[in-house]
Amino acid sequence: MKKTGLFLLGLTTGAAAAAYIAYRKMDDEKTKEFVNSTVKTANDLKDRALDYAFYALDSVDDVKEQLQYKTSDAKSKIKDAAGKVNDNVVNKAQYYYDEGSTQFHKAADNLRNQVRKNADDSQDIVIDPDALKQEDNLSK
């Protein structure tokens, strides 16, 4: 591993030295052309890096929008479901209340009618205390 690292370091240093020597041996016109080409390539790379950064930011914004849409959609669905459940509970409670009160009223009316009917049909029973004394005397 150490030998490989030293080999790569030597190779890189040698290539850099060769490039420097070649650069120095160029005439002025080729040097300007080489510098302009290098600057143009560097600017193109910067522009491409900026474009990719903007693409990444746009992608993040799109993901945020999708997440907000899905979250708001889920919230509205939950609210709708809760509202339906609440309406069902209220409706059932109202139904049982109405049904129960109706049954209570019917039962009370039936009881009143029975009491009235029994009051009209029956005769009063009168117990004479003297009659009880006579029965006691007879049994002795």
Side-chain angles (χ1 to χ4, degrees):
M1 182 85 176
K2 192 174 183 180
K3 288 182 182 180
T4 306
L6 289 175
F7 174 74
L8 290 175
L9 179 65
L11 185 64
T12 305
T13 306
Y20 182 73
I21 291 171
Y23 174 74
R24 286 309 221 168
K25 287 193 174 192
M26 285 185 192
D27 58 0
D28 289 338
E29 186 177 316
K30 286 187 177 182
T31 304
K32 286 181 185 179
E33 188 178 312
F34 178 73
V35 169
N36 288 339
S37 172
T38 305
V39 169
K40 184 179 181 293
T41 304
N43 287 336
D44 289 345
L45 288 174
K46 283 193 285 186
D47 289 343
R48 190 174 293 174
L50 285 174
D51 288 343
Y52 285 129
F54 285 127
Y55 293 150
L57 289 175
D58 287 343
S59 296
V60 168
D61 288 340
D62 290 343
V63 168
K64 282 182 184 178
E65 287 176 9
Q66 286 293 326
L67 184 61
Q68 288 174 348
Y69 171 74
K70 298 228 182 229
T71 303
S72 65
D73 187 39
K75 283 181 183 177
S76 67
K77 286 181 180 178
I78 289 170
K79 284 182 182 178
D80 290 344
K84 287 179 184 177
V85 167
N86 190 30
D87 290 345
N88 286 339
V89 168
V90 168
N91 288 340
K92 288 204 183 237
Q94 187 66 40
Y95 169 76
Y96 287 123
Y97 174 76
D98 291 343
E99 189 68 24
S101 66
T102 303
Q103 288 177 355
F104 173 76
H105 291 298
K106 285 179 184 177
D109 288 341
N110 286 338
L111 188 59
R112 280 189 205 105
N113 290 336
Q114 285 177 358
V115 168
R116 283 186 199 130
K117 183 179 177 187
N118 287 339
D120 293 340
D121 290 346
S122 66
Q123 296 178 3
D124 291 339
I125 299 175
V126 177
I127 299 176
D128 187 20
D130 294 333
L132 290 175
K133 287 183 185 177
Q134 289 174 359
E135 284 181 23
D136 281 344
N137 288 337
L138 291 177
S139 58
K140 290 186 183 182

